Amino acid sequence: MDWTGHMCGIVGYIGPQQAAGLLTEGLARLEHRGYDSAGVAVLGSRLQVVKKAGRVRDLVDALPKRFAGKVGIGHTRWATHGPANDTNAHPHVSADGRVAVVHNGIVDNAASLRERLTEAGVELVSDTDTEVFAHLIGLSTADNLEAKVVDALSQVEGTWGLAVVHADFPDRMVVARNGSPLIVGVGDGEMYVASDLAAVVRHTTTVAHLDDGELATVTATGFTTFRQDLTTTTTTAREVDVDPSAYEYGELADEPRMFTEILEQPSSVERALRGRLDERFGTAHLGGLNLDPRELRAIRRVKILGCGSAYYVGQMGAGLIEELARVPADAEAASEFRYRNPIIEPDTLYVAVSQSGETIDTLLAVQEIKRKGGRVLGVVNVVGSAIARAVDGGIYLHAGPEIAVASTKALTNMYVAFSLLALQLGRVRDLSIADGKRLIAGLQALPTQIEEILKSESHLEEVAARLAEAESMFFVGRVRGYPVAREGAQKLKEISYRHAEAYQTSELKHGPLALISESVPTVAIVPQDELTDRNVAALHEISARRGPLVVVTHPDVDLGELDALRVDVPKNEVELDPILLTIPLQLIAFHAAKALGHDVDKPRNLAKSVTVE
Ligand code: F6R
């Protein structure tokens, strides 16, 4: 576990093959999620555990020659509290050395459990809360592994994705989920478990997603699921619709994942559009909404909820929905929403937006809305994820696996998904067929236009190098351009660790203009739209204060005498421009981080999914 609640990685194997190699390979596939130590346990003639701070490579190097066993579990841990050392890495073992556990999530009552165990004479060797699971299972007097695990879980408050092996029960693993994802993968005479499909997709795409509160017994030939009261459940495995090759990076394997994911956008956008456009009637067909036209018409308001970058794209989406469907729409940080006792209205459509589908703040917001009788749609990338399963309907992003911590292609597809939703919502209301067709043509042009932006990489690299020199900078935009500025600042902050503050261009003169100087550059989003002149006027004010300028704009925008580094983006329909204006900002953030020598895929203090509040 890690005390911060960032998601660590779990992988497990049982079958006819030696487990160690399969486990470390699976862990390597989870590497890019961010981690600082890794470990594996295999059960052969005895239980053996090896764990190491550092990379999966270091773990592989540390494995002894004799490390045999056909059942085993592995883990990548991420810690920001408590040192990342060999001892704190998982798996953790019971005092008698017969139980090994790996755990994602957080034990809320760890302190009191540790105290109780200490009083009972158990010596705790690590600083983690996960270790209590190993001891509680080891001390349980129940006579089968399932009951021992349930015994332990009944004493624990918190969240878990958990996998357990026990030397007395070598024919099985027991796994459990509560708030942290866990899947069971069905192979041919062998079985896998994992926290993420990426770890097992090379071996199987037939998987079962455990529900919160559910456990499973996994043997070499199958699995059974049950609840904590030991009653059985009927969770079954299904073929998931993913292309395993999407997880392979081929010739770009040595490039940072963020970079490969940026480059993938022309094709990932195409996937998001595939089969969803109705050119004849100028509308979109989103099969998963589970809303008929009459229900769509009855919507009086749209409320979008997400966290971080997903929230910013939600803000772009709200703008689109207001423009195209003329339905009041706004976006709010899911992490704040449910704490202000929100009023849930029956004729409001709530939309939860999340790449991972596991972000706890967003999931809890969904649950709060549903508890109060609201209707929620999901805009989600990961198929079968917790949010995808909790909502009443939704739109899958089809971005393919996104591994880099800093999100790029998934955000772009969120925007595409919101465009489709706005289009469909608009076309059951007052959006004309002509406007619908205009937007469809715009959407179809996106992949080629993104391609064009990606070609200007070397120019963006120069821009990034200039920005990387500054300790602090502004990203500014207005109306459609403001969420673009927010996302641009976020991406730069996340991976370059430079301070970047997003502001509405119109608000600069009400305060922050005071900060503008030669050493504080501004990246301005200036689309060709009804606000261009006002935007350009504001840039003159910045320039007059000697603030260096980068202007992300359209080819026909006349910046006059302005002294600025210019980044031109192909023009689309005004409603769709924001997403294209975001793409160069991804490459600017990437190259700024690279110029500063940072590990782009593993930004400090961040991990891919934030599964604890
Ligand atoms: C930004 C980033 C985060 C996520 C946020 C929500 O690059 O990765 O801000 O956007 O944590 O994550 P999801 O979309 O998985 O809910």
Side-chain angles (χ1 to χ4, degrees), residues 499-515:
H499 172 242
E501 187 172 347
Y503 234 84
Q504 285 126 328
T505 318
S506 53
E507 283 285 298
L508 276 181
K509 58 183 175 297
H510 298 293
L513 207 53
L515 286 170

Side-chain angles (χ1 to χ4, degrees), residues 307-310 354-356 359 405-407 414 490-491 494:
C307 293
S309 293
S354 172
Q355 187 287 126
S356 62
T359 299
V405 169
S407 186
M414 283 174 193
Q490 163 104 334
K491 207 93 307 165
E494 276 186 299

